[in-house]
Amino acid sequence: MDEIGIWTEKIKAAVERVILGKGEVIEKLLVALLCRGHVLLEDVPGVGKTILARAMSLCLGGEFRRVQCTADLLPADVLGVSIYNQRSGQFDFRQGPIMTNVLLVDEINRATPRTQSALLEAMEERTISVEGRSLPLPDPFFILATENPVEFEGTFPLPEAQKDRFFLCLSMGYPPEAAEMELMVAQRRLTHPVSDLVAVTDTASVLAMQRRILEVEVSAEVEDFILALVASTRGDARLALGASPRASLALYKGSQALAAVRGRSRASVEDVRELAVPVLLKRIQVRSEQLLKGTTERSVIAQLLEQVGGRLAAAPAGR
């Protein structure tokens, strides 16, 4: 797995030239990419979510497109539309921005549910249905969607089915003071530093690395921990909604990718622990009465991790 570790470090080093102090977030993005998953970046404006998406696409050498979501955005604006050609007397299909390798869906919760639903098929099946035709998307295909969690006017909550299709939910947070100082100095120029980035890999290498992570070994101990953790969300009285089987699959694949990114050929329980919050955060839902008591999804996940870990440690050795 050293090859994957070297590959990811090369991409991280390039992206960190413009996104300072966020190595862990970049690493998790690469984990999702290696697992053929998509990422929801949930954070306040101005912390670099859009620049991060642009930097990733430039370093990967793939095509990048952006959709700015608004209330009047239509599904055809994302998928594409057929336009009548007077010369040929036929309709020509003009593909939408979704036909790309890296798609930034900015402020996804500002799009109407109708437009949000246009992404569901693409995220899961990697195809789109337009005017009775099914069209395959480019490979690799990676969606980075952003959401502002503190502004609710003019927004539409994401349906549970769509949140479940995001592999990870990440938050960038504010940069450390030293990184912010470096950021100010670095942008004392007319153009943004992201314009200096060049590709350090290509899409063929991305596809090859996606196949390589399947070779990472996952022990019975890790499998049992994943199943027990996901099952515990379904029986917790504090939760109105437990995690789906997609969560188990995301934890399994994610632990393989995280191990490979760090140069290991065997996934560990610690890999699962590290991915538990970004994987489960949007897949569970705290009951309203529990919210009034100060209970949050993060606190529930942290407690379940300790309970499941303690229970499995005390149990006799199994398979």
mmCIF file of all heavy atoms in Angstrom, residues 19-51:
data_model
loop_
_atom_site.group_PDB
_atom_site.id
_atom_site.type_symbol
_atom_site.label_atom_id
_atom_site.label_comp_id
_atom_site.label_asym_id
_atom_site.label_seq_id
_atom_site.Cartn_x
_atom_site.Cartn_y
_atom_site.Cartn_z
ATOM 1 N N ILE A 19 -4.738 25.497 0.511
ATOM 2 C CA ILE A 19 -5.639 25.251 1.649
ATOM 3 C C ILE A 19 -4.745 24.931 2.839
ATOM 4 O O ILE A 19 -4.270 23.802 2.993
ATOM 5 C CB ILE A 19 -6.610 24.082 1.361
ATOM 6 C CG1 ILE A 19 -7.457 24.376 0.124
ATOM 7 C CG2 ILE A 19 -7.505 23.838 2.562
ATOM 8 C CD1 ILE A 19 -8.404 25.545 0.264
ATOM 9 N N LEU A 20 -4.517 25.922 3.683
ATOM 10 C CA LEU A 20 -3.521 25.799 4.744
ATOM 11 C C LEU A 20 -4.130 25.255 6.034
ATOM 12 O O LEU A 20 -5.226 25.645 6.442
ATOM 13 C CB LEU A 20 -2.890 27.170 5.008
ATOM 14 C CG LEU A 20 -2.308 27.881 3.778
ATOM 15 C CD1 LEU A 20 -1.815 29.264 4.147
ATOM 16 C CD2 LEU A 20 -1.184 27.063 3.164
ATOM 17 N N GLY A 21 -3.400 24.360 6.693
ATOM 18 C CA GLY A 21 -3.806 23.858 8.001
ATOM 19 C C GLY A 21 -4.982 22.907 7.985
ATOM 20 O O GLY A 21 -5.604 22.691 9.028
ATOM 21 N N LYS A 22 -5.308 22.327 6.816
ATOM 22 C CA LYS A 22 -6.476 21.439 6.718
ATOM 23 C C LYS A 22 -6.104 20.085 6.116
ATOM 24 O O LYS A 22 -6.833 19.515 5.311
ATOM 25 C CB LYS A 22 -7.572 22.108 5.882
ATOM 26 C CG LYS A 22 -8.115 23.387 6.495
ATOM 27 C CD LYS A 22 -8.767 23.122 7.833
ATOM 28 C CE LYS A 22 -9.180 24.397 8.541
ATOM 29 N NZ LYS A 22 -9.710 24.136 9.894
ATOM 30 N N GLY A 23 -4.959 19.559 6.535
ATOM 31 C CA GLY A 23 -4.486 18.286 6.000
ATOM 32 C C GLY A 23 -5.437 17.137 6.269
ATOM 33 O O GLY A 23 -5.620 16.253 5.424
ATOM 34 N N GLU A 24 -6.079 17.148 7.441
ATOM 35 C CA GLU A 24 -6.990 16.056 7.793
ATOM 36 C C GLU A 24 -8.222 16.054 6.892
ATOM 37 O O GLU A 24 -8.694 14.999 6.473
ATOM 38 C CB GLU A 24 -7.422 16.189 9.258
ATOM 39 C CG GLU A 24 -8.274 15.043 9.744
ATOM 40 C CD GLU A 24 -8.642 15.167 11.216
ATOM 41 O OE1 GLU A 24 -7.960 15.920 11.932
ATOM 42 O OE2 GLU A 24 -9.604 14.510 11.631
ATOM 43 N N VAL A 25 -8.750 17.246 6.582
ATOM 44 C CA VAL A 25 -9.913 17.339 5.691
ATOM 45 C C VAL A 25 -9.547 16.856 4.294
ATOM 46 O O VAL A 25 -10.306 16.113 3.663
ATOM 47 C CB VAL A 25 -10.443 18.789 5.638
ATOM 48 C CG1 VAL A 25 -11.583 18.917 4.626
ATOM 49 C CG2 VAL A 25 -10.911 19.237 7.008
ATOM 50 N N ILE A 26 -8.387 17.259 3.806
ATOM 51 C CA ILE A 26 -7.932 16.830 2.471
ATOM 52 C C ILE A 26 -7.777 15.317 2.433
ATOM 53 O O ILE A 26 -8.155 14.655 1.455
ATOM 54 C CB ILE A 26 -6.612 17.531 2.112
ATOM 55 C CG1 ILE A 26 -6.804 19.053 2.048
ATOM 56 C CG2 ILE A 26 -6.069 17.013 0.780
ATOM 57 C CD1 ILE A 26 -5.515 19.840 1.980
ATOM 58 N N GLU A 27 -7.235 14.752 3.503
ATOM 59 C CA GLU A 27 -7.069 13.296 3.578
ATOM 60 C C GLU A 27 -8.413 12.579 3.500
ATOM 61 O O GLU A 27 -8.568 11.579 2.789
ATOM 62 C CB GLU A 27 -6.350 12.925 4.874
ATOM 63 C CG GLU A 27 -6.049 11.443 4.995
ATOM 64 C CD GLU A 27 -5.343 11.103 6.295
ATOM 65 O OE1 GLU A 27 -5.945 11.335 7.374
ATOM 66 O OE2 GLU A 27 -4.207 10.620 6.248
ATOM 67 N N LYS A 28 -9.415 13.105 4.213
ATOM 68 C CA LYS A 28 -10.743 12.479 4.192
ATOM 69 C C LYS A 28 -11.388 12.607 2.815
ATOM 70 O O LYS A 28 -12.113 11.697 2.374
ATOM 71 C CB LYS A 28 -11.646 13.129 5.252
ATOM 72 C CG LYS A 28 -11.189 12.923 6.689
ATOM 73 C CD LYS A 28 -11.159 11.473 7.088
ATOM 74 C CE LYS A 28 -10.949 11.291 8.591
ATOM 75 N NZ LYS A 28 -9.678 11.882 9.063
ATOM 76 N N LEU A 29 -11.152 13.723 2.128
ATOM 77 C CA LEU A 29 -11.659 13.866 0.766
ATOM 78 C C LEU A 29 -11.067 12.786 -0.142
ATOM 79 O O LEU A 29 -11.770 12.196 -0.976
ATOM 80 C CB LEU A 29 -11.320 15.245 0.205
ATOM 81 C CG LEU A 29 -12.160 16.431 0.663
ATOM 82 C CD1 LEU A 29 -11.661 17.702 -0.005
ATOM 83 C CD2 LEU A 29 -13.625 16.221 0.346
ATOM 84 N N LEU A 30 -9.788 12.518 0.021
ATOM 85 C CA LEU A 30 -9.130 11.491 -0.784
ATOM 86 C C LEU A 30 -9.656 10.095 -0.436
ATOM 87 O O LEU A 30 -9.765 9.233 -1.307
ATOM 88 C CB LEU A 30 -7.616 11.564 -0.593
ATOM 89 C CG LEU A 30 -6.944 12.792 -1.212
ATOM 90 C CD1 LEU A 30 -5.495 12.900 -0.756
ATOM 91 C CD2 LEU A 30 -7.023 12.729 -2.740
ATOM 92 N N VAL A 31 -9.991 9.882 0.831
ATOM 93 C CA VAL A 31 -10.600 8.609 1.236
ATOM 94 C C VAL A 31 -11.920 8.409 0.494
ATOM 95 O O VAL A 31 -12.194 7.330 -0.050
ATOM 96 C CB VAL A 31 -10.821 8.576 2.768
ATOM 97 C CG1 VAL A 31 -11.772 7.445 3.154
ATOM 98 C CG2 VAL A 31 -9.492 8.407 3.493
ATOM 99 N N ALA A 32 -12.766 9.451 0.473
ATOM 100 C CA ALA A 32 -14.048 9.358 -0.232
ATOM 101 C C ALA A 32 -13.833 9.129 -1.724
ATOM 102 O O ALA A 32 -14.540 8.318 -2.344
ATOM 103 C CB ALA A 32 -14.865 10.622 0.004
ATOM 104 N N LEU A 33 -12.884 9.827 -2.312
ATOM 105 C CA LEU A 33 -12.592 9.664 -3.740
ATOM 106 C C LEU A 33 -12.164 8.235 -4.050
ATOM 107 O O LEU A 33 -12.616 7.634 -5.030
ATOM 108 C CB LEU A 33 -11.506 10.647 -4.158
ATOM 109 C CG LEU A 33 -10.985 10.539 -5.591
ATOM 110 C CD1 LEU A 33 -12.084 10.898 -6.587
ATOM 111 C CD2 LEU A 33 -9.770 11.430 -5.802
ATOM 112 N N LEU A 34 -11.281 7.664 -3.208
ATOM 113 C CA LEU A 34 -10.814 6.297 -3.424
ATOM 114 C C LEU A 34 -11.948 5.286 -3.291
ATOM 115 O O LEU A 34 -11.897 4.210 -3.887
ATOM 116 C CB LEU A 34 -9.689 5.972 -2.440
ATOM 117 C CG LEU A 34 -8.355 6.660 -2.711
ATOM 118 C CD1 LEU A 34 -7.400 6.467 -1.538
ATOM 119 C CD2 LEU A 34 -7.720 6.147 -3.995
ATOM 120 N N CYS A 35 -12.967 5.623 -2.494
ATOM 121 C CA CYS A 35 -14.116 4.727 -2.297
ATOM 122 C C CYS A 35 -15.247 5.009 -3.282
ATOM 123 O O CYS A 35 -16.335 4.449 -3.132
ATOM 124 C CB CYS A 35 -14.639 4.861 -0.870
ATOM 125 S SG CYS A 35 -13.487 4.320 0.394
ATOM 126 N N ARG A 36 -14.988 5.884 -4.252
ATOM 127 C CA ARG A 36 -15.997 6.256 -5.249
ATOM 128 C C ARG A 36 -17.227 6.874 -4.584
ATOM 129 O O ARG A 36 -18.357 6.680 -5.031
ATOM 130 C CB ARG A 36 -16.385 5.051 -6.116
ATOM 131 C CG ARG A 36 -15.215 4.461 -6.879
ATOM 132 C CD ARG A 36 -15.597 3.164 -7.581
ATOM 133 N NE ARG A 36 -16.563 3.369 -8.636
ATOM 134 C CZ ARG A 36 -16.270 3.745 -9.878
ATOM 135 N NH1 ARG A 36 -14.999 3.966 -10.212
ATOM 136 N NH2 ARG A 36 -17.207 3.896 -10.785
ATOM 137 N N GLY A 37 -16.992 7.598 -3.501
ATOM 138 C CA GLY A 37 -18.077 8.245 -2.772
ATOM 139 C C GLY A 37 -18.098 9.742 -3.014
ATOM 140 O O GLY A 37 -17.228 10.301 -3.694
ATOM 141 N N HIS A 38 -19.085 10.405 -2.431
ATOM 142 C CA HIS A 38 -19.259 11.852 -2.564
ATOM 143 C C HIS A 38 -19.236 12.491 -1.180
ATOM 144 O O HIS A 38 -19.474 11.817 -0.170
ATOM 145 C CB HIS A 38 -20.573 12.162 -3.285
ATOM 146 C CG HIS A 38 -20.749 11.391 -4.556
ATOM 147 N ND1 HIS A 38 -19.997 11.643 -5.675
ATOM 148 C CD2 HIS A 38 -21.569 10.351 -4.866
ATOM 149 C CE1 HIS A 38 -20.360 10.804 -6.648
ATOM 150 N NE2 HIS A 38 -21.296 10.003 -6.174
ATOM 151 N N VAL A 39 -18.960 13.787 -1.144
ATOM 152 C CA VAL A 39 -18.738 14.471 0.128
ATOM 153 C C VAL A 39 -19.641 15.687 0.250
ATOM 154 O O VAL A 39 -19.797 16.458 -0.708
ATOM 155 C CB VAL A 39 -17.266 14.899 0.268
ATOM 156 C CG1 VAL A 39 -17.054 15.735 1.531
ATOM 157 C CG2 VAL A 39 -16.350 13.680 0.292
ATOM 158 N N LEU A 40 -20.217 15.853 1.430
ATOM 159 C CA LEU A 40 -20.967 17.059 1.783
ATOM 160 C C LEU A 40 -20.097 17.886 2.720
ATOM 161 O O LEU A 40 -19.748 17.439 3.810
ATOM 162 C CB LEU A 40 -22.285 16.689 2.470
ATOM 163 C CG LEU A 40 -23.155 17.867 2.947
ATOM 164 C CD1 LEU A 40 -23.623 18.700 1.757
ATOM 165 C CD2 LEU A 40 -24.354 17.359 3.746
ATOM 166 N N LEU A 41 -19.715 19.085 2.275
ATOM 167 C CA LEU A 41 -18.935 20.012 3.098
ATOM 168 C C LEU A 41 -19.904 20.989 3.758
ATOM 169 O O LEU A 41 -20.517 21.816 3.076
ATOM 170 C CB LEU A 41 -17.925 20.779 2.246
ATOM 171 C CG LEU A 41 -16.669 20.035 1.798
ATOM 172 C CD1 LEU A 41 -15.887 20.876 0.802
ATOM 173 C CD2 LEU A 41 -15.793 19.678 2.982
ATOM 174 N N GLU A 42 -20.055 20.858 5.056
ATOM 175 C CA GLU A 42 -21.010 21.688 5.784
ATOM 176 C C GLU A 42 -20.250 22.664 6.675
ATOM 177 O O GLU A 42 -19.588 22.258 7.634
ATOM 178 C CB GLU A 42 -21.940 20.807 6.636
ATOM 179 C CG GLU A 42 -23.055 21.575 7.311
ATOM 180 C CD GLU A 42 -23.939 20.667 8.134
ATOM 181 O OE1 GLU A 42 -23.403 19.932 8.974
ATOM 182 O OE2 GLU A 42 -25.158 20.691 7.931
ATOM 183 N N ASP A 43 -20.305 23.940 6.323
ATOM 184 C CA ASP A 43 -19.579 24.929 7.116
ATOM 185 C C ASP A 43 -20.035 26.327 6.746
ATOM 186 O O ASP A 43 -20.749 26.536 5.762
ATOM 187 C CB ASP A 43 -18.071 24.795 6.902
ATOM 188 C CG ASP A 43 -17.283 25.007 8.190
ATOM 189 O OD1 ASP A 43 -17.693 25.883 8.975
ATOM 190 O OD2 ASP A 43 -16.290 24.302 8.403
ATOM 191 N N VAL A 44 -19.601 27.290 7.543
ATOM 192 C CA VAL A 44 -19.967 28.690 7.326
ATOM 193 C C VAL A 44 -19.263 29.224 6.086
ATOM 194 O O VAL A 44 -18.261 28.653 5.638
ATOM 195 C CB VAL A 44 -19.597 29.541 8.563
ATOM 196 C CG1 VAL A 44 -20.383 29.080 9.769
ATOM 197 C CG2 VAL A 44 -18.101 29.453 8.854
ATOM 198 N N PRO A 45 -19.756 30.326 5.517
ATOM 199 C CA PRO A 45 -19.118 30.887 4.319
ATOM 200 C C PRO A 45 -17.706 31.399 4.596
ATOM 201 O O PRO A 45 -17.391 31.822 5.716
ATOM 202 C CB PRO A 45 -20.048 32.051 3.938
ATOM 203 C CG PRO A 45 -21.346 31.774 4.618
ATOM 204 C CD PRO A 45 -20.993 31.040 5.876
ATOM 205 N N GLY A 46 -16.871 31.337 3.570
ATOM 206 C CA GLY A 46 -15.570 31.983 3.632
ATOM 207 C C GLY A 46 -14.422 31.155 4.168
ATOM 208 O O GLY A 46 -13.308 31.671 4.302
ATOM 209 N N VAL A 47 -14.650 29.868 4.449
ATOM 210 C CA VAL A 47 -13.560 29.059 5.012
ATOM 211 C C VAL A 47 -12.808 28.270 3.938
ATOM 212 O O VAL A 47 -11.900 27.509 4.247
ATOM 213 C CB VAL A 47 -14.081 28.098 6.110
ATOM 214 C CG1 VAL A 47 -14.567 28.874 7.302
ATOM 215 C CG2 VAL A 47 -15.180 27.178 5.573
ATOM 216 N N GLY A 48 -13.202 28.438 2.665
ATOM 217 C CA GLY A 48 -12.425 27.837 1.580
ATOM 218 C C GLY A 48 -13.009 26.592 0.962
ATOM 219 O O GLY A 48 -12.284 25.832 0.319
ATOM 220 N N LYS A 49 -14.311 26.356 1.101
ATOM 221 C CA LYS A 49 -14.906 25.136 0.564
ATOM 222 C C LYS A 49 -14.793 25.095 -0.965
ATOM 223 O O LYS A 49 -14.428 24.072 -1.543
ATOM 224 C CB LYS A 49 -16.383 25.045 0.987
ATOM 225 C CG LYS A 49 -16.608 25.017 2.485
ATOM 226 C CD LYS A 49 -18.062 24.775 2.846
ATOM 227 C CE LYS A 49 -18.976 25.904 2.432
ATOM 228 N NZ LYS A 49 -18.713 27.164 3.164
ATOM 229 N N THR A 50 -15.107 26.198 -1.617
ATOM 230 C CA THR A 50 -15.057 26.239 -3.081
ATOM 231 C C THR A 50 -13.624 26.122 -3.584
ATOM 232 O O THR A 50 -13.345 25.392 -4.547
ATOM 233 C CB THR A 50 -15.696 27.542 -3.592
ATOM 234 O OG1 THR A 50 -17.048 27.622 -3.119
ATOM 235 C CG2 THR A 50 -15.695 27.586 -5.113
ATOM 236 N N ILE A 51 -12.699 26.819 -2.941
ATOM 237 C CA ILE A 51 -11.295 26.752 -3.344
ATOM 238 C C ILE A 51 -10.755 25.336 -3.167
ATOM 239 O O ILE A 51 -9.968 24.842 -3.988
ATOM 240 C CB ILE A 51 -10.453 27.754 -2.533
ATOM 241 C CG1 ILE A 51 -10.864 29.191 -2.873
ATOM 242 C CG2 ILE A 51 -8.967 27.563 -2.794
ATOM 243 C CD1 ILE A 51 -10.642 29.563 -4.321
#
